[in-house]
Amino acid sequence: MSYSRERIGEILMRSGLLTVEQLDEALARQRVEGGKLGQVLVRTLVLSEEDIGRTLAEQKDYPFISMTSYAFDRAAVSMIPERLARRHLVIPVGFDGESIVLAMADPLDVEAIDDVRLQTGMSVMPVVATATQIQYAIEKYVASADAVQDIMFAPDDEEVSDEVLTGDEDVPIVRLVNQMIREGVSDDASDIHIEPGDKGVRIRYRIDGVLHEVMQLPLSAKAGLISRIKVMAEMDIAERRRPQDGRIAVMVNGRAIDFRVATLPTPQGESIVIRILNQDDRVHSLEDLGMSPLHLEIVQRFLSRPFGAVLVSGPTGSGKTTSLYAGLLQLNQISRKIITIEDPIEYQINGITQMAVNPGIGLSFSRLLRTVLRSDPDIVMVGEIRDPETAEIAIRAALTGHLMLSSIHTNDAPSTLTRLVDMEVAPYVTSSALVGVIAQRLARRLCPQCKKRVRVSKAELVSIGFSAAEAESVKPYGPIGCDECFGTGYRGRIGLFEIMEMTDEVRRLFLKQAPSEQLREVALGNGMQTMRRDALEKVAQGVTSVEEIERVVV
């Protein structure tokens, strides 16, 4: 391997990243403050860590890697202890033949290379990465790898130690659970899935609506892992045959986080899903949801009504609660009494009375709703209509001078009407009370830092819904992957909407018990825009990709 004899400052100037004046000023600071030239340039915000890292890699003829998009080999990560990784700011990322590939902020740190060689018994192949990314990777991979290594040879039985129950941080399984939760929060995951199998335990995070496998644990970890989570969620650890629900409230990295925990018995053991509810997240406004100007105008018209029912429909995880909170944020005024019934309370909003369902003491949606209606509200939000009793009370409340907001599980806007009939709400009550239905899904946003125009044939564009004329002019973007989006090509999500207003024609058809297909045709004739059309507009605007709408929208 050949090395450049140029100094790093010379390479930076040759690359156009640094001027002579900036170099002279940085060298003067270096003489006063000490440290390396690259550190001085980053401290003074002249250059980024990545600029310095890439230049250093060029100077020493080493590869430069982005840690956020690199495919880590966890077997390599587990070969050095956390203390060694933190002391030298290094992390193994994979293997190259008989060598271990070592990410380093300073590839000339001979002591670090020697320590890793002694620890692993392998020759070391350095690659360059930024110090910040290495620190993040150590937090994410090495800490959990240490805990996994400690439990790798533990006996595979159902016995759980007292330390697991009390939460002793020195116990590997406790440390592993804590690290798993920290990692899920830092990765902006919405859910953590713990799934026992015949050969091990699979851990997956749902990020921006898509599941990603993050680790495989040995079977020896199963009993302690499940018991530790059940203890934290105040569940019965002796009960393994029935599903259980629980909650955890902790501080993670200085942030207040609530977790909903659900267990499901399977032949391989209890499967657990942990829903992450970040209390520090702000409530989004209607404008933040990604509604088109047309949809925004319709929804604001719904919310301006003094009474009536507005329902948000969609499957689990489609952003219904976020949309309801956005509506409440707009309605929240000192002249209005707003009461919500939720399961659980996901966001605290000043000025709104919020109540949580608690079936354990008989506080169901329907029972709380009866009480709320006697408390002089102007606006009531019911987190979800789940049963006929709640549906009947909520819809009838909309006829008695209240604006009622709620969510319901249906696939599209027109089928919400037939769903209410299935819940035994009389059609004449629904037709009189219902103002409109907002059906929605969530699609991943393309990362604005790395998205790139892609070639899509005219035939393919027509096949997904564009007209022949639109297909001539549409220039879609696709995902690439960069540091900002952790290599996925997507960052965050945006709503796709289908909004049906209860017009007189729709009401007449519904009272005749017309099927949802006929209701859809009439609604489209009255100006309703389908969810696919909304999705296509977002593709044309470069907000999301063709692949993403094909994944999300039927």
Side-chain angles (χ1 to χ4, degrees), residues 194-215:
I194 298 142
E195 302 160 327
D198 293 329
K199 297 181 179 179
V201 182
R202 180 170 66 174
I203 310 297
R204 296 192 289 174
Y205 295 163
R206 187 178 295 279
I207 302 172
D208 289 338
V210 177
L211 283 169
H212 301 268
E213 183 174 318
V214 295
M215 70 178 81

Side-chain angles (χ1 to χ4, degrees), residues 18 22-23 25-30 33 36-48 52:
L18 198 65
Q22 288 172 325
L23 177 59
E25 183 178 346
L27 289 171
R29 278 180 172 269
Q30 183 186 24
E33 299 173 3
K36 297 179 179 178
L37 178 62
Q39 294 171 338
V40 173
L41 290 168
V42 171
R43 272 202 311 269
T44 55
L45 304 179
V46 174
L47 294 176
S48 69
I52 298 299

Side-chain angles (χ1 to χ4, degrees), residues 339-528:
I339 304 178
T340 72
I341 305 170
E342 306 173 54
D343 183 24
I345 297 171
E346 296 194 16
Y347 303 100
Q348 298 280 354
I349 305 179
N350 290 331
I352 292 179
T353 302
Q354 297 175 265
M355 304 174 65
V357 169
N358 190 342
I361 58 173
L363 295 181
S364 62
F365 275 115
S366 56
R367 183 171 179 181
L368 283 174
L369 185 52
R370 285 195 184 91
T371 303
V372 164
L373 293 177
R374 294 194 292 267
S375 301
D376 190 32
D378 297 297
I379 299 162
V380 178
M381 192 271 273
V382 177
E384 185 180 338
I385 293 178
R386 297 177 179 174
D387 56 77
E389 187 178 10
T390 304
E392 178 74 18
I393 298 169
I395 298 300
R396 286 189 178 277
L399 292 174
T400 57
H402 305 95
L403 181 61
M404 176 68 61
L405 309 181
S406 190
S407 70
I408 190 168
H409 287 279
T410 58
N411 290 326
D412 56 23
S415 63
T416 300
L417 299 179
T418 53
R419 175 65 177 142
L420 289 171
V421 172
D422 293 341
M423 287 186 166
E424 303 173 5
V425 181
Y428 72 88
V429 175
T430 298
S431 64
S432 300
L434 193 60
V435 173
V437 181
I438 304 166
Q440 68 180 73
R441 299 288 189 280
L442 290 176
R444 290 181 293 174
R445 288 179 184 265
L446 285 166
C447 174
Q449 301 298 321
C450 67
K451 68 179 182 179
K452 186 178 181 180
R453 288 195 184 275
V454 292
R455 288 183 176 273
V456 180
S457 69
K458 180 180 175 181
E460 185 178 349
L461 290 173
V462 170
S463 72
I464 65 172
F466 285 108
S467 68
E470 289 171 331
E472 292 286 355
S473 58
V474 169
K475 305 294 183 185
Y477 285 81
I480 300 300
C482 67
D483 291 350
E484 291 294 321
C485 60
F486 303 103
T488 64
Y490 297 94
R491 191 68 170 163
R493 290 190 284 177
I494 190 170
L496 307 177
F497 300 94
E498 175 180 283
I499 302 178
M500 185 183 75
E501 194 165 5
M502 283 294 286
T503 63
D504 291 340
E505 193 173 356
V506 171
R507 285 192 176 91
R508 281 196 298 271
L509 273 176
F510 177 57
L511 286 172
K512 294 178 182 178
Q513 298 187 9
S516 58
E517 293 80 6
Q518 192 173 348
L519 294 172
R520 168 175 285 277
E521 290 177 10
V522 171
L524 289 171
N526 290 337
M528 183 181 83

Side-chain angles (χ1 to χ4, degrees), residues 155-168:
D156 182 14
D157 57 37
E158 299 297 322
E159 294 299 320
V160 180
S161 68
D162 291 338
E163 290 86 355
V164 170
L165 303 183
T166 58
D168 187 344

Side-chain angles (χ1 to χ4, degrees), residues 177-178 181-182 185 228 232-233 247-260 274 276-280:
V177 170
N178 293 345
I181 288 173
R182 282 194 296 268
V185 171
R228 176 60 194 152
M232 293 175 71
R247 296 178 185 174
I248 303 170
V250 294
M251 296 292 291
V252 180
N253 299 328
R255 299 157 66 189
I257 311 288
D258 283 347
F259 303 87
R260 276 190 293 176
I274 304 173
I276 301 173
L277 306 172
N278 187 358
Q279 293 292 332
D280 286 350

Side-chain angles (χ1 to χ4, degrees), residues 69-146:
S69 56
Y70 195 87
F72 279 75
D73 187 327
R74 286 186 178 267
V77 174
S78 64
M79 292 194 72
I80 69 170
E82 183 180 358
R83 54 178 173 73
L84 191 153
R86 290 188 186 279
R87 185 169 75 245
H88 293 302
L89 201 57
V90 298
I91 182 171
V93 295
F95 300 100
D96 187 344
E98 298 298 317
S99 300
I100 189 166
V101 180
L102 186 69
M104 310 178 68
D106 180 5
L108 298 183
D109 187 343
V110 178
E111 183 183 352
I113 292 174
D114 287 343
D115 284 353
V116 172
R117 185 186 295 116
L118 287 171
Q119 178 70 34
T120 63
M122 302 177 70
S123 60
V124 175
M125 177 180 289
V127 295
V128 181
T130 68
T132 298
Q133 288 188 2
I134 292 174
Q135 287 170 341
Y136 172 80
I138 290 171
E139 289 291 340
K140 183 171 182 178
Y141 297 104
V142 178
S144 58
D146 268 10

